[in-house]
Amino acid sequence: TVAASLTTACASVPGRPAIQQVQSQPGRFVDHSVTVTGRVTTSWGVPVVGFNVYRIDDGTGEITVVSTDRRVPGRGARVEVKGKVQDLAVLGGRPLGLHLREQRIRYRN
């Protein structure tokens, strides 16, 4: 049935994976939304292009987040980010430019 297929498809991609899991199995996560929680290790804005970039470390790895929000979290901020996993290219089976396209950010204590 359609409902069973949708349930199976949703179950195959965890919604809250460790960053290391996303990096080691990019084909499983690309074009899917996931939520990661961690500390911002670096952040910078690219005003000419209209987006900001920051990196999050959850203890298992780091991932780059691309945001169109005017406000970018500062280094050391603890955040929960929901975003769509995207990749610029795959070269030799390895992801090149794997990142999250921010859909929502929440600041954590």
Side-chain angles (χ1 to χ4, degrees), residues 11-99:
S12 66
V13 177
R16 295 184 174 271
I19 291 173
Q20 182 276 330
Q21 202 177 358
V22 174
Q23 293 171 328
S24 67
Q25 302 171 4
R28 184 174 177 200
F29 294 96
V30 168
D31 293 329
H32 292 281
S33 291
V34 298
T35 300
V36 296
T37 302
R39 291 218 180 268
V40 175
T41 59
T42 185
S43 63
W44 60 97
V46 187
V48 175
V49 183
F51 63 86
N52 294 306
V53 178
Y54 56 97
R55 292 186 55 82
I56 296 177
D57 185 336
D58 72 350
T60 69
E62 272 187 89
I63 194 163
T64 300
V65 180
V66 177
S67 171
T68 56
D69 193 346
R70 290 180 180 247
R71 191 175 74 153
V72 64
R75 184 174 180 199
R78 185 160 166 73
V79 295
E80 176 184 273
V81 177
K82 179 179 180 181
K84 189 171 188 177
V85 179
Q86 297 182 327
D87 203 356
L88 295 178
V90 176
L91 186 61
R94 297 187 61 103
L96 180 64
L98 188 70
H99 64 280

